[in-house]
Amino acid sequence: MTLLCYGDSNTYGFDPRSYFGGRYPAEVRWTHRLAQATGWTVHNAGENGREIPRRAWELQDLLRRAADADLVTLMLGGNDLLQGPPFAAEDAAARMDACLTALLTQRAPSTVLLVSPPPLCLGAWTNAALCRQAARLAPCYRALAAKREVAFADAGAWGVELLFDGVHFSPEGHRAFAVGIQEALEPLAAQFLGG
């Protein structure tokens, strides 16, 4: 089975402890851990700074990458919220709705998992207002997933540890995320492999 993981720096595996903004080794990243645990072919389509696709070329990039995947995970929204007020969780959900609309022209809803990122916490890159909006993202995404009939997972329930910036996963956070997303994906994978 082939899985496309489309996301931002936490999918890419950005390590903010690196002086030049490096990347965790493959064995630390949740995408690699997921591939090792399942035997699936996992394509890491994470990109630092990526917001929810909304421009035509961004949506085309997503559709092109997703074309050959059996399942797709989407975990985005943190960078959109980092724009600060007046941008809010509802605005991120509206962007994600348009993104899903485009993606679902190409594939069945049963092959998509929408993941709400672990909420941002207070840190070097964040503030209390931003953290409040991030905490509101999961219920917005849950409602959107129900509307679009795609699977939903709230990574805020997986105990993902963030580092000093309040944004990026620690190595232990990647481990916890890999466990959580594997559990969230197993029903979709069973349906795909059984179908």
Side-chain angles (χ1 to χ4, degrees), residues 59-182:
L59 293 167
Q60 284 303 312
D61 176 68
L62 170 59
L63 294 178
R64 178 182 56 79
R65 291 172 184 258
D68 297 324
D70 299 316
L71 300 178
V72 174
T73 68
L74 280 174
M75 184 175 69
L76 291 162
N79 288 312
D80 303 78
L81 292 176
L82 282 166
Q83 296 177 53
F87 198 88
E90 290 82 3
D91 300 309
R95 280 187 185 176
M96 185 58 78
D97 191 14
C99 177
L100 283 172
T101 298
L103 183 61
L104 294 176
T105 64
Q106 176 181 283
R107 59 189 316 114
S110 61
T111 66
V112 176
L113 175 66
L114 175 60
V115 182
S116 181
L120 307 175
C121 64
L122 285 175
W125 289 20
T126 62
N127 57 44
L130 179 59
C131 293
R132 283 194 296 273
Q133 289 302 321
R136 297 176 59 244
L137 195 58
C140 291
Y141 276 13
R142 186 185 302 275
L144 173 58
K147 172 184 167 184
R148 293 297 174 199
E149 300 181 324
V150 301
F152 171 75
D154 179 5
W158 299 343
V160 176
E161 179 184 70
L162 303 181
L163 286 175
F164 62 91
D165 58 6
V167 174
H168 293 103
F169 299 177
S170 70
E172 175 58 26
H174 276 271
R175 187 204 63 76
F177 189 94
V179 171
I181 200 163
Q182 181 179 344

